[in-house]
Amino acid sequence: MTESDFNFGRLNPEQKQAVQTTEGPVLVLSGAGTGKTTVLTARLAYIVQTGKALPFQCLAVTFTNKAAAEMQERLNAIIGEDSRSLWLGTFHRIGLRILRSHPEKVGLSAGFGILDGSDQERLLKQIMADQHIDLKDNPPQMILNQIQRLKDQGLTPEKADQSPIPAGPLVKRLYGLYQDRLQAMNAADFGDLLLYCLELFNHHPEILSAFRKQFKYILVDEYQDTNVIQYLWLRMLACGHNNICCVGDDDQSIYSWRGAEVGNILRFEEDFPNAALIRLESNYRSTAHILAGASGLIAHNKNRLGKTLRPAPGREEMTGEKINVSGVWSGEDEARKICEQIEREQRHGTKLSDIAILVRASFQMRAIEDALLQYGISYKVIGGMRFYEREEIRDATAYIRLLVQPKDDMAFMRIVNKPRRGVGDTALQTIRQKAKDNRISMYEAAKQLIQEKALKGTAKTGLERFFALHDSWRQKAEETTPDEMLRQMLEDSGYMEMRRTEKTPEAEGRIENLRELIGEFKGNYDTFEQYLEYVSLVMDNDNAATVGDHVSVMTLHAAKGLEFDVVFLPGWEEEIFPNKKAMDEGNTEEERRLAYVGITRAKKRVYITFAGSRRIFNQWQNNLPSRFINEIPAEHVEMTNLSSGGGYDYGYGGWNGGAQSYFYKKEKKASYFGNTQKPAFQIGTEVYHSRYGYGKVVAADRDNTQVLFEDGSMKNIKADYLEIA
């Protein structure tokens, strides 16, 4: 087939250019919804069908197996079974394939194994035990994460000191011992697959030369997400012919926390002189207002190559609705307003599966999930578990269950050795058998075994301390509020300290979720029993909630690559989004890229909300609206003047004077945020509570309000937690 005979289908001019520019280095800046996969597939088909290379001479690297499978399926339809000989897959898959051809060159033999995450941790624990290293003071998962980060930087144990974040002596020593043990086992972990490839290429130039000659054309997807070792690996393979085409979007680089280097794409033209830079700016997903709003926002980033999304040919008239920005009184009010808008969307024919709620941090999900359950809206958490299903929340709930009901064997087994108290499997089996033989609870059985001196050593000591803690908690429980009691239990038990010392990527989120759970008690539950009753109902509803049509709830990071008709973006407040930690670390631009990703997930409508006050980890917090709101061009925004529960209207002043220009426009707004305490409610006022629903005030002062709710219950609740219905 000649180049003129190739069927370009419906490719627009910029896409066609990206397909035809095959020789030399090419960087394709592919904005959200611009047909990136279509271009990659067409480019591979063009190279093969015009005779520029045979399929096995093409290397195409993706970040996910899903993306590779999708591309493979499309290529099968275009060029047939020949596509099977393409080198198409993830970095790890391609690296493994290269290593399988020369394992002996890196100290491995044919058929070497690949350890998964659990096997890696088990192996490291064995090594640490042999070295008499305390696992509590040095969590194995933390050590493993540091080792993997060193591998992502292309650093062997001997070169660990070259890391931008130098590894400590212990990590360096364990890294060496860990690699030695892997070699002895004839095994590798996922981090080794590219690390060994670099070793292979560096020490055996003839092998590198052979692969360079084989791969006449190299294609890389999601180049903005590459880390150091992926970058080095690609550079080594591409040097010579330089026929490398990298497709990515610097405006969607949001994974620096897991090693991604946005600098890889920003310096592409420096790494490959005379590179062609092609911008895909025609968007096939979103309306004009959404695209212009997102483009205006991301333009505030300085470190970017620059592009402006616009509607694709034929979609110019699809202006759509403006981005809706609204202010609400509180986080609970925000969740309720989102549910009400979802119900309106449903009435207008939008399916739940076409709706997504995207949050900056997982702790925001709790209030949203509670509201969705109260409104009977089916939902599913994508990329993670529901709030009450998370390990740390189940653990905390188990502490509560055992305090309320010591005969709860499942709760006892879950937390008796969490954190570690020396109560191993053998001791637990003894306790379980004692309980079975005597038809008593495991809690009672353990106490009897201690009295009978049937348990010894660390198990005995650990259980005695555990029971002493329980006795003290039961004494305090009657005179302590549930939120304070839970906080004390998690601290006294060492559970919070265990989570603090994990130092895993998930650790910070786990601590935030626990703090959110503690905060949930204040004003919502008078007793632990009320909480347990609520959770049982939640978990019962969960089984049905994920079946059929449902709203997708996820973090902004998990949403990348997805699209929905309608997107809700709650919590756009300073220190929440942009995140305070990110700002302190100088990563505000990545936060803005995250906002850009959130907006561009939407096809038809975007709803952004911010709250005047928000209860975060048991503390009421007043934040300014996010700076990102002010950076969206005014002509693409509709500001909804919602009336807050406290009777304050949100005006929308100018967009050019910073966050305060529209939020503090009038004196009453400033006074509202300067004083979070609401005045006493009038008797007879109809009010709303995020947990108990609607009711009527029967007595009130500045501190407490007595409310008769629709279900007949009477509650004394602080005015701060009530809103005018």
Side-chain angles (χ1 to χ4, degrees):
M1 180 186 293
T2 65
E3 295 184 23
S4 59
D5 294 329
F6 185 79
N7 181 16
F8 289 98
R10 297 182 179 180
L11 296 184
N12 63 43
E14 53 203 29
Q15 290 175 327
K16 188 176 179 181
Q17 182 188 3
V19 169
Q20 288 183 299
T21 309
T22 57
E23 308 309 304
V26 180
L27 177 61
V28 180
L29 282 182
S30 178
T34 56
K36 173 194 66 175
T37 304
T38 299
V39 168
L40 283 168
T41 305
R43 183 180 173 91
L44 280 168
Y46 180 79
I47 290 170
V48 172
Q49 291 190 325
T50 58
K52 294 181 180 296
L54 296 171
F56 78 92
Q57 294 174 316
C58 299
L59 170 64
V61 188
T62 67
F63 262 82
T64 65
N65 290 314
K66 181 182 177 182
E70 182 182 355
M71 200 178 302
Q72 186 72 66
E73 185 178 349
R74 293 193 188 189
L75 284 165
N76 289 348
I78 300 173
I79 62 178
E81 286 300 313
D82 286 347
S83 67
R84 297 292 179 184
S85 59
L86 286 162
W87 281 60
L88 171 61
T90 63
F91 279 99
H92 288 140
R93 181 178 288 276
I94 301 297
L96 176 59
R97 190 172 176 182
I98 291 173
L99 281 183
R100 291 288 189 201
S101 63
H102 302 282
E104 72 286 349
K105 302 294 186 181
V106 294
L108 299 171
S109 56
F112 64 87
I114 308 294
L115 269 64
D116 61 20
S118 60
D119 288 337
Q120 293 172 40
E121 186 173 358
R122 195 175 298 112
L123 176 60
L124 185 61
K125 284 180 178 178
Q126 292 174 6
I127 295 169
M128 293 174 72
D130 294 342
Q131 297 293 311
H132 307 290
I133 297 171
D134 189 276
L135 299 183
K136 186 177 181 181
D137 294 337
N138 303 281
Q141 191 57 55
M142 178 191 72
I143 304 290
L144 264 182
N145 287 336
Q146 291 179 278
I147 290 173
Q148 294 305 318
R149 288 301 292 267
L150 289 169
K151 292 185 178 185
D152 287 344
Q153 295 167 25
L155 301 173
T156 59
E158 297 75 26
K159 298 179 180 178
D161 288 337
Q162 298 177 19
S163 171
I165 308 175
L170 178 62
V171 173
K172 185 179 176 180
R173 177 159 68 93
L174 287 173
Y175 184 10
L177 292 170
Y178 175 75
Q179 290 301 104
D180 291 343
R181 191 71 66 88
L182 283 174
Q183 288 265 336
M185 296 168 55
N186 192 35
D189 63 23
F190 283 103
D192 288 326
L193 300 181
L194 292 187
L195 191 65
Y196 278 141
C197 277
L198 286 191
E199 184 179 335
L200 184 69
F201 294 161
N202 281 320
H203 296 136
H204 302 278
E206 72 283 1
I207 295 175
L208 174 60
S209 178
F211 279 111
R212 282 177 175 171
K213 289 178 181 177
Q214 177 181 338
F215 300 137
K216 291 184 177 181
Y217 296 94
I218 299 173
L219 284 80
V220 187
D221 190 15
E222 303 286 7
Y223 190 61
Q224 79 281 349
D225 292 334
T226 52
N227 58 30
V228 173
I229 195 168
Q230 292 163 345
Y231 168 81
L232 294 171
W233 185 82
L234 288 167
R235 283 291 305 273
M236 294 184 81
L237 285 173
C239 279
H241 57 68
N242 279 344
N243 288 338
I244 182 171
C245 175
C246 294
V247 181
D249 185 1
D250 54 325
D251 291 333
Q252 295 190 71
S253 180
I254 58 175
Y255 298 123
S256 66
W257 50 275
R258 66 184 190 194
E261 295 280 348
V262 69
N264 291 349
I265 191 170
L266 295 177
R267 65 169 180 264
F268 185 89
E269 292 175 284
E270 297 177 21
D271 293 337
F272 298 96
N274 302 314
L277 178 60
I278 301 170
R279 291 176 169 86
L280 303 185
E281 298 175 311
S282 296
N283 179 282
Y284 293 86
R285 175 187 300 162
S286 307
T287 63
H289 279 308
I290 292 173
L291 295 177
S295 294
L297 169 66
I298 200 63
H300 286 78
N301 272 6
K302 296 179 181 178
N303 296 311
R304 62 189 295 261
L305 296 171
K307 64 182 178 308
T308 303
L309 295 181
R310 60 179 182 274
R315 296 173 56 90
E316 294 89 349
E317 301 302 318
M318 298 175 63
T319 56
E321 298 179 24
K322 293 182 178 182
I323 296 171
N324 183 281
V325 178
S326 59
V328 294
W329 192 86
S330 67
E332 286 74 15
D333 187 40
E334 177 183 61
R336 185 160 57 92
K337 295 294 184 184
I338 288 173
C339 291
E340 291 172 354
Q341 186 59 49
I342 289 173
E343 290 183 335
R344 282 192 286 272
E345 289 284 350
Q346 281 187 288
R347 288 195 292 271
H348 287 88
T350 305
K351 294 190 296 184
L352 292 180
S353 56
D354 291 328
I355 300 173
I357 304 171
L358 311 181
V359 300
R360 173 59 183 88
S362 60
F363 76 82
Q364 295 173 255
M365 292 184 184
R366 198 274 308 162
I368 292 169
E369 289 187 55
D370 282 355
L372 289 167
L373 287 166
Q374 289 173 9
Y375 277 76
I377 298 172
S378 182
Y379 75 97
K380 184 176 182 180
V381 176
I382 308 298
M385 290 180 285
R386 293 167 171 248
F387 184 82
Y388 297 101
E389 291 176 336
R390 294 184 170 99
E391 179 188 343
E392 63 276 11
I393 302 302
R394 284 183 178 270
D395 290 344
T397 301
Y399 270 97
I400 295 171
R401 285 165 52 193
L402 195 64
L403 185 69
V404 172
Q405 180 49 266
K407 293 183 178 182
D408 190 330
D409 285 354
M410 299 305 295
F412 177 84
M413 291 179 62
R414 186 175 186 93
I415 58 135
V416 70
N417 203 40
K418 189 182 284 189
R420 295 186 183 278
R421 301 184 177 91
V423 187
D425 292 340
T426 303
L428 278 175
Q429 183 58 39
T430 302
I431 296 168
R432 193 182 294 112
Q433 192 61 48
K434 177 78 169 178
K436 182 180 177 182
D437 293 343
N438 293 272
R439 296 186 177 182
I440 56 178
S441 71
M442 292 182 69
Y443 190 97
E444 293 170 308
K447 279 199 164 186
Q448 287 187 17
L449 287 167
I450 292 173
Q451 292 171 354
E452 296 167 2
K453 299 181 179 180
L455 293 174
K456 298 180 181 179
T458 57
K460 175 179 177 291
T461 305
L463 282 168
E464 286 176 338
R465 291 174 180 170
F466 183 69
F467 289 136
L469 280 172
H470 259 259
D471 290 341
S472 69
W473 293 339
R474 275 195 292 271
Q475 291 175 7
K476 295 175 183 176
E478 294 182 2
E479 57 191 35
T480 308
T481 60
D483 60 306
E484 177 57 28
M485 194 67 244
L486 177 58
R487 186 201 63 77
Q488 190 169 340
M489 287 164 61
L490 295 178
E491 290 290 354
D492 291 351
S493 65
Y495 187 88
M496 288 297 284
E497 184 62 24
M498 178 191 78
R499 292 303 184 190
R500 293 188 192 104
T501 56
E502 274 183 354
K503 296 183 180 177
T504 63
E506 298 81 18
E508 185 177 349
R510 293 189 190 280
I511 293 169
E512 287 180 345
N513 289 334
L514 288 168
R515 292 170 67 188
E516 178 68 14
L517 178 65
I518 294 169
E520 181 185 355
F521 277 86
K522 195 169 184 179
N524 290 325
Y525 307 109
D526 298 324
T527 64
F528 280 144
E529 287 84 355
Q530 289 179 358
Y531 166 76
L532 293 175
E533 181 181 335
Y534 177 75
V535 171
S536 66
L537 293 173
V538 168
M539 302 304 284
D540 184 58
N541 288 337
D542 281 353
N543 296 325
T546 58
V547 179
D549 198 27
H550 54 256
V551 173
S552 296
V553 183
M554 70 192 87
T555 64
L556 285 158
H557 285 101
K560 189 171 175 290
L562 305 178
E563 60 181 33
F564 304 89
D565 283 355
V566 180
V567 169
F568 290 89
L569 300 171
W572 278 43
E573 299 132 39
E574 291 289 299
E575 300 192 355
I576 295 179
F577 193 37
N579 177 267
K580 185 178 186 302
K581 183 182 177 183
M583 289 191 290
D584 291 343
E585 295 175 352
N587 291 329
T588 303
E589 289 209 349
E590 181 160 326
E591 290 289 288
R592 188 174 285 109
R593 292 195 290 269
L594 198 54
Y596 172 84
V597 167
I599 293 173
T600 55
R601 297 312 90 198
K603 297 179 184 178
K604 298 178 179 178
R605 286 178 292 284
V606 176
Y607 297 94
I608 296 172
T609 52
F610 60 88
S613 61
R614 188 180 297 274
R615 191 176 61 198
I616 302 176
F617 313 138
N618 203 23
Q619 299 291 324
W620 279 101
Q621 183 173 309
N622 300 326
N623 291 324
L624 291 171
S626 171
R627 67 191 68 188
F628 300 152
I629 296 175
N630 199 59
E631 292 172 355
I632 304 172
E635 60 268 27
H636 304 294
V637 172
E638 176 189 14
M639 185 69 181
T640 303
N641 292 320
L642 294 178
S643 177
S644 75
Y648 297 93
D649 293 329
Y650 291 84
Y652 192 61
W655 280 84
N656 300 316
Q660 294 189 24
S661 65
Y662 62 86
F663 207 70
Y664 288 81
K665 197 69 176 176
K666 297 181 181 179
E667 185 177 348
K668 66 179 181 180
K669 293 181 178 62
S671 65
Y672 169 62
F673 279 92
N675 179 15
T676 61
Q677 187 179 36
K678 291 191 283 189
F681 288 98
Q682 297 294 317
I683 295 175
T685 301
E686 293 185 353
V687 294
Y688 175 83
H689 187 275
S690 62
R691 181 72 62 195
Y692 303 121
Y694 292 92
K696 186 173 291 186
V697 175
V698 296
D701 56 35
R702 282 194 169 275
D703 296 321
N704 293 289
T705 306
Q706 193 172 26
V707 182
L708 176 63
F709 289 96
E710 289 181 341
D711 63 359
S713 64
M714 188 81 74
K715 304 286 184 184
N716 287 318
I717 297 174
K718 289 186 177 181
D720 290 343
Y721 299 99
L722 295 171
E723 304 163 31
I724 295 177

